[in-house]
Amino acid sequence: MTTYPVTESQPLKSTNPFRPAPMTPEEISKVEQIVDITCCPKEDALKHLRRKGGNVEQALDAIFNGESADEVPKSSAGDMESLRAAAAGVVTTGAPLLRDIFRPADSPRVSKSEKPSPPMIDLTGDDDEEMSRALRASLEDQGPVFRPSDRAPNPDWAMVPSNVEVHQDPVSQEDQQMNQAIEASLQFVVNDEYDEPLLEDRVRKGHCPVALRPTNAAYCYAGLLLHALFFVPQVRYRVSRWRPQPEDYVEQDPQMVGPPTSGPGFILWSLLELFVNMDLARMSELNVDKCLDAFETVAWNISSSEGPGEISCDCYNKLTSTLELELHEPVLAEAEYTDLPRIFYFQYNYSDTEITSFGDLDPRFDMAVVKVDIRGTPDANDLLSCLSQELFPERYQRQQVIFKSSEIVAFQLMRHYTTNGERELFSFPPHLYLDQFLRENVELANEKRRRQWELNAQVDKLNQRKAELTRDQDRDVLADLRSSIFYYENIAESDNEERKAELKDTLTRLKQILTDIEAELQEIETTVSASRAEAAIVFDCPELQKSKYDLRAVLVHDGLAGRTRLYSYVKYKGVWWKTVDSLVTEVSEDVVLNDAAGLHLRAGPYFLIYSAALSEEEENMPMAWPDLLKDSVKHNNHLFFRELSEEKRATVEDPNSPPTLPFVPVPPVDVDIEEVSTLDSEPLLRPASAERMDID
């Protein structure tokens, strides 16, 4: 006797009618998602998942609505036509309907077994009485049946008061439930406090990055943004070589000793001091309250349901607009602005526009952050596809292109889910090429893009044909067809020779239909795979692979509120690091690209920073920090080590070279800068960063 595989729509039957069948690998993954979000038992999660046909979103809805996991969903068992279709199976386009080749039962059914048994019901007939007897017989063998209670409703059982007005806005039930869950979580953790770690636990290990922590959780987004900028090689290199210019002292005493205290120079000096500490400090974390004050950072309302993307974008634009004008080499200070290299802001416009000259940064033509709309559709669920739709909304009409590229490009990811289906991870590559968006490559890029659209259209057409072959009114046609074959091959029996011949003929025709459908589906899968593979590499040509950019930082929000709900990934010396508040751990690149945190809360990665690819030697080039700041940080390290226990101090290694100036203890004063006499009678700035690290 030949057996046929059972599809997902036909769970494996258990010998015990009250014991669920083992979970499939796909069900295991979905159950884990449900348990992570709802914290319900795995058994209940599995029951809800199977009751909803494997749909995670509907299972979550059932749990949030308080539905019982053991409740039997309403069935259309009374519909005779539906039962016949379920038993026989229905094939749509590409094959004749199964009910057209079935014949009425014209002979009595005889069981081979000598043991008395219920009469065999011929499901191929049109007799409703036989179908009713089959239904009754199946119900008798199933044991207890769970159904809604017959008791009168009691207001005390209601999940919400009966006098609460029903929401009338055009918002889906899934959206309402998700928003309620987010708001509840925000209210629960909004008052998290700054946790000061023990001194012994604040020792930096090796090249592990330093964490930046503001005292107020409302500024965590800004701390992560500054943290990320340090790990962009181009930013770190240029900041290390910046020095105050005479114009930075115009409103101050030109003869004063010390850094600027206002204006753009003060912002750059604060960033420079921060970067020196991040490079040389031997503490595992630094408090950045004063640095954020220097940048006039705005607090994020973490108690709202609005994510940190927009405020991070505003903060980034505000900071980089200053850096763009201040970080150029001194030798280029007298050059025209249009001749200077672009660091953060690239120049863009429509491809048919003639741009002759530019003055200062103009928001009409210059951009540092590209806002990417994520709608979760299969054709635009990755960064490059979304960029193509953003820059070419009408295909070849008024294309937006990059006239002059920048060394750094940032992306704000904005999620606008419009469907209730399964949400897939938004993908972004570790490396990308911007050549297809450059003005000089418009013609070639359009040719490649046209071919990509043709391939995607072919895939859509084939997927539609696949749906016609496998689905009919939300039923799995192949599952029904296999069930019918199983019935005719293993259950339908007759001692009448004519009836046997009819059963055999029907079985043969069903098998042939199944074979034809499976062959066509296999051909569709092969063609779809080939088309998708070609579409993925359509831009892989030397002419469009000159402007390579590497992923440097990823900022993530898991959808909940609190200082540990925002975290980042940064790449440093070829290694990816994850920073959650004060905890910094090494992770693989696969973890960075496939982090599913916040997927079902409309959250996840919200800010990406790419920069032009560099050689390993260029990325690890030593920084030219000012000796004054280097000495300040090294002296602070000395103070920090002195506070440690002797046992802990014996395990600490300091990779820094000794200060160029001897250490002189600084008495506590109320000003940030003070001249202190040294052995060489040279003025020495009081280490302002010592106060920020709370060690003096």
Side-chain angles (χ1 to χ4, degrees):
M1 180 181 297
T2 306
T3 59
Y4 291 87
V6 181
T7 62
E8 290 185 6
S9 61
Q10 287 182 295
L12 295 173
K13 293 183 178 180
S14 172
T15 56
N16 185 342
F18 300 98
R19 180 181 302 169
M23 288 189 291
T24 64
E26 183 178 1
E27 286 180 332
I28 293 175
S29 175
K30 293 182 177 180
V31 166
E32 290 178 351
Q33 293 181 25
I34 296 174
V35 172
D36 289 342
I37 296 175
T38 65
C39 298
C40 71
K42 286 187 177 181
E43 295 77 7
D44 290 349
L46 176 61
K47 291 178 182 178
H48 281 294
L49 181 67
R50 288 180 172 174
R51 286 182 61 243
K52 299 302 180 180
N55 189 299
V56 174
E57 297 293 337
Q58 294 181 9
L60 289 173
D61 287 346
I63 295 174
F64 288 141
N65 286 334
E67 295 181 15
S68 171
D70 295 322
E71 181 181 349
V72 176
K74 294 182 179 180
S75 172
S76 57
D79 188 344
M80 294 296 106
E81 187 63 27
S82 298
L83 285 177
R84 291 194 191 95
V90 179
V91 181
T92 58
T93 307
L97 295 177
L98 297 184
R99 61 171 175 265
D100 294 336
I101 65 175
F102 288 158
R103 299 185 180 183
D106 57 357
S107 59
R109 304 301 310 279
V110 180
S111 175
K112 290 184 178 181
S113 174
E114 297 181 359
K115 183 178 180 181
S117 60
M120 183 66 68
I121 306 300
D122 187 358
L123 298 181
T124 65
D126 293 329
D127 190 349
D128 288 349
E129 183 179 354
E130 287 189 354
M131 187 65 68
S132 298
R133 288 194 291 115
L135 179 60
R136 288 195 301 269
S138 64
L139 292 177
E140 290 174 358
D141 295 337
Q142 289 179 358
V145 176
F146 295 93
R147 58 183 176 82
S149 173
D150 296 330
R151 292 179 296 180
N154 187 328
D156 295 335
W157 301 341
M159 296 298 293
V160 295
S162 59
N163 60 347
V164 176
E165 182 179 357
V166 179
H167 199 287
Q168 298 296 329
D169 292 340
V171 182
S172 68
Q173 183 181 19
E174 183 237 5
D175 290 341
Q176 295 180 37
Q177 294 165 353
M178 197 64 69
N179 289 337
Q180 291 172 3
I182 294 175
E183 291 175 3
S185 64
L186 292 174
Q187 295 174 1
F188 179 74
V189 294
V190 69
N191 293 323
D192 60 333
E193 298 180 355
Y194 182 86
D195 182 21
E196 184 72 28
L198 298 175
L199 192 66
E200 303 288 325
D201 298 331
R202 299 176 69 180
V203 179
R204 183 180 180 185
K205 299 178 181 179
H207 294 290
C208 179
V210 174
L212 301 183
R213 300 183 71 204
T215 302
N216 189 338
Y219 296 93
C220 285
Y221 80 94
L224 289 177
L225 202 57
L226 292 176
H227 188 261
L229 284 175
F230 174 81
F231 295 100
V232 180
Q234 289 85 348
V235 179
R236 188 169 64 245
Y237 175 83
R238 290 180 179 274
V239 169
S240 72
R241 282 158 175 73
W242 177 87
R243 299 294 183 269
Q245 301 299 313
E247 57 268 22
D248 294 324
Y249 299 98
V250 170
E251 299 180 359
Q252 306 174 41
D253 182 1
Q255 305 301 321
M256 72 172 293
V257 177
T261 57
S262 63
F266 176 57
I267 294 177
L268 264 296
W269 181 267
S270 299
L271 188 65
L272 175 61
E273 185 180 18
L274 175 66
F275 279 11
V276 176
N277 277 277
M278 292 182 67
D279 190 21
L280 304 179
R282 299 316 301 166
M283 302 182 69
S284 61
E285 65 172 66
L286 300 173
N287 185 281
V288 289
D289 289 348
K290 289 193 174 182
C291 194
L292 296 179
D293 290 342
F295 302 144
E296 298 181 355
T297 310
V298 178
W300 171 44
N301 183 10
I302 60 176
S303 62
S304 68
S305 59
E306 183 179 356
E310 194 63 33
I311 194 170
S312 296
C313 179
D314 293 342
C315 179
Y316 184 87
N317 281 326
K318 182 179 179 181
L319 179 59
T320 56
S321 62
T322 300
L323 300 182
E324 183 73 49
L325 300 174
E326 298 291 329
L327 281 181
H328 294 295
E329 296 290 344
V331 296
L332 298 177
E334 301 300 327
E336 291 291 336
Y337 180 74
T338 53
D339 299 330
L340 297 177
R342 294 297 189 101
I343 305 175
F344 299 95
Y345 283 79
F346 62 88
Q347 184 184 107
Y348 75 100
N349 210 312
Y350 291 108
S351 59
D352 57 355
T353 302
E354 292 296 334
I355 301 179
T356 57
S357 63
F358 286 91
D360 295 334
L361 291 178
D362 190 329
R364 297 174 300 170
F365 310 122
D366 299 287
M367 179 184 296
V369 181
V370 181
K371 296 188 176 183
V372 181
D373 281 325
I374 303 175
R375 302 194 178 273
T377 56
D379 61 330
N381 201 39
D382 64 276
L383 182 60
L384 287 176
S385 297
C386 287
L387 288 177
S388 295
Q389 291 192 358
E390 291 287 335
L391 297 177
F392 304 93
E394 302 175 7
R395 299 205 168 180
Y396 301 111
Q397 299 178 10
R398 300 288 289 175
Q399 302 176 21
Q400 295 187 73
V401 295
I402 298 174
F403 278 67
K404 190 171 184 179
S405 59
S406 56
E407 296 178 356
I408 302 162
V409 179
F411 301 96
Q412 179 194 348
L413 306 184
M414 304 185 300
R415 287 166 173 78
H416 303 283
Y417 294 116
T418 57
T419 63
N420 294 331
E422 289 289 326
R423 294 177 186 145
E424 301 294 335
L425 280 173
F426 180 80
S427 61
F428 45 89
H431 318 282
L432 61 82
Y433 295 92
L434 293 182
D435 301 80
Q436 61 174 297
F437 306 112
L438 300 181
R439 188 190 189 192
E440 59 264 28
N441 298 324
V442 167
E443 294 183 3
L444 177 59
N446 284 343
E447 179 183 344
K448 298 291 185 180
R449 191 168 288 108
R450 185 182 300 109
R451 176 56 180 165
Q452 190 177 60
W453 283 331
E454 291 174 353
L455 293 169
N456 291 335
Q458 182 181 11
V459 169
D460 292 340
K461 185 177 180 180
L462 290 173
N463 284 334
Q464 183 179 0
R465 173 59 178 166
K466 179 181 177 181
E468 293 174 352
L469 290 173
T470 58
R471 307 295 302 181
D472 178 61
Q473 298 180 355
D474 293 331
R475 292 187 61 84
D476 189 332
V477 173
L478 292 183
D480 291 342
L481 184 55
R482 292 189 179 100
S483 297
S484 300
I485 291 175
F486 182 84
Y487 168 77
Y488 277 96
E489 190 170 38
N490 301 283
I491 299 177
E493 300 174 351
S494 177
D495 289 339
N496 184 288
E497 294 300 327
E498 183 178 355
R499 176 60 175 167
K500 284 184 177 180
E502 291 178 354
L503 294 175
K504 183 177 180 180
D505 179 65
T506 301
L507 177 62
T508 302
R509 296 169 67 183
L510 289 176
K511 286 185 175 180
Q512 184 60 48
I513 293 173
L514 179 61
T515 300
D516 293 343
I517 294 177
E518 288 179 337
E520 185 173 355
L521 290 176
Q522 181 60 43
E523 183 179 355
I524 289 176
E525 289 294 337
T526 302
T527 307
V528 167
S529 298
S531 298
R532 284 177 172 170
E534 183 180 350
I537 62 173
V538 70
F539 290 98
D540 292 355
C541 60
E543 298 84 355
L544 298 178
Q545 291 186 333
K546 298 178 181 178
S547 300
K548 182 181 179 181
Y549 287 72
D550 292 336
L551 181 63
R552 305 295 184 181
V554 181
L555 307 187
V556 185
H557 181 213
D558 70 0
L560 304 178
R563 64 169 57 252
T564 61
R565 300 305 182 174
L566 292 181
Y567 56 91
S568 68
Y569 295 105
V570 295
K571 192 174 185 180
Y572 185 52
K573 296 185 180 298
V575 178
W576 280 100
W577 300 88
K578 179 179 181 179
T579 302
V580 184
D581 199 23
S582 62
L583 179 63
V584 182
T585 56
E586 181 179 343
V587 297
S588 65
E589 185 174 80
D590 184 67
V591 171
V592 178
L593 302 179
N594 297 282
D595 189 342
L599 181 61
H600 293 282
L601 295 176
R602 292 185 178 86
Y606 65 89
F607 206 83
L608 311 176
I609 300 180
Y610 286 81
S611 75
L614 301 173
S615 65
E616 183 177 356
E617 181 180 359
E618 291 173 324
E619 287 196 14
N620 299 323
M621 186 179 302
M623 300 296 101
W625 307 121
D627 290 338
L628 179 67
L629 291 180
K630 287 196 299 183
D631 285 344
S632 174
V633 175
K634 292 176 181 179
H635 291 325
N636 288 336
N637 289 338
H638 174 79
L639 295 174
F640 171 56
F641 294 151
R642 192 173 61 184
E643 296 296 324
L644 299 175
S645 64
E646 293 185 3
E647 180 180 358
K648 185 67 176 180
R649 197 183 310 161
T651 64
V652 173
E653 295 182 3
D654 187 357
N656 298 318
S657 60
T660 56
L661 296 175
F663 172 69
V664 177
V666 181
V669 293
D670 295 331
V671 295
D672 286 337
I673 302 175
E674 179 184 18
E675 292 188 12
V676 180
S677 175
T678 67
L679 296 178
D680 298 329
S681 299
E682 294 289 341
L684 174 66
L685 286 179
R686 177 174 182 263
S689 55
E691 182 179 352
R692 291 175 190 164
M693 295 190 294
D694 302 324
I695 58 176
D696 59 340

